[in-house]
Amino acid sequence: MAVSNGTKVTEFVLLGLYSNPELQIFFFLLFLVMYLITVVGNLLILVTIYANPQLHTPMYFFLSNLSFVDLSFSTVTVPRCLVLFLWQDKTISFSDCMAQMFFIHFIGGSECFHLVLMAYDRYVAICHPLRYTTIMNRPVCFLLVVFTWAGGFIHASAQSIPVIQLPFCGPNEIDHFFCDAHTLALLACSSTVISENVDMANSGILAVSCFSVLLVSYIYIISTILKIRSDEGRQKAFSTCAAHLMVVILFFGPCVFLYMRPSVIFAADKLLSVFYTIVTPLLNPCIYTLRNEKMRHAMLKMGGITPSTLEKHGH
């Protein structure tokens, strides 16, 4: 344990995901591949939307912002996790640990709000198509995105400040692969009642309320889809909604379980954290963007491939 003036912890030890040496290499390779796919996929989406004027619409504007959020979210957690798999030195300084905690909640909170924003966009597009361009005009879209980031910043500040103010005098081992308010509160030398209550009220209520709004939005969307006369159109719309809901459940499910309770660590916590910090940023490009026909054609066009070229080759 590193100390300053005999009592104050100046660094923490991240124990990582698993201590089994045989699993370290496997998870290192698995997470490295997942991270590379996440980075390449989200960067490709950002470049494609930026380079194609026909994609400069509200839906793709929100998708590009989601890609940036996912790219940032993975980068805050995965590189440090990869280091833990290979290096013996698993220490992280006090300031780096607190910064990581802040940015995880900042970007994670922004993603919560952004998923709600995208559901609202689809609600307006499907349920009020004639008013869509009027409601989702450019200034409104810009302000809504600013709101998602501002909401994430407020959430992260409220989550981090009580933890940063706690005294840490040892032990300093964090049984996780990143610094989080839950795990840090367990190491504090004083009462953490206020920190825990803020944690549950902030992260827990945020996750539950955003998830509830998302479900209500999709209920309205599905009720409108049921009125579609075309079986093919109805099936395609249902497929898209089901894929969106799967990502939403993978992201919000673990968050609700982890943050709507006191600072008690369960064996499954680290595995559940993988879903919302690593798996969802990987799936979002596939679910929200790469399944989109217009987006796929734009990517192929950037690579010099046209639909007619694919037809000639029998694809």
Side-chain angles (χ1 to χ4, degrees), residues 1 17 55 83 156 244 283 286 292 305:
M1 180 179 70
L17 193 61
L55 297 180
V83 170
H244 289 190
L283 290 179
C286 304
N292 185 292
I305 304 172

Side-chain angles (χ1 to χ4, degrees), residues 30-42 78 82 282:
L30 176 63
F31 282 20
L32 177 62
V33 170
M34 293 173 70
Y35 179 62
L36 291 176
I37 293 173
T38 301
V39 171
V40 172
N42 284 295
V78 180
L82 294 175
L282 171 70

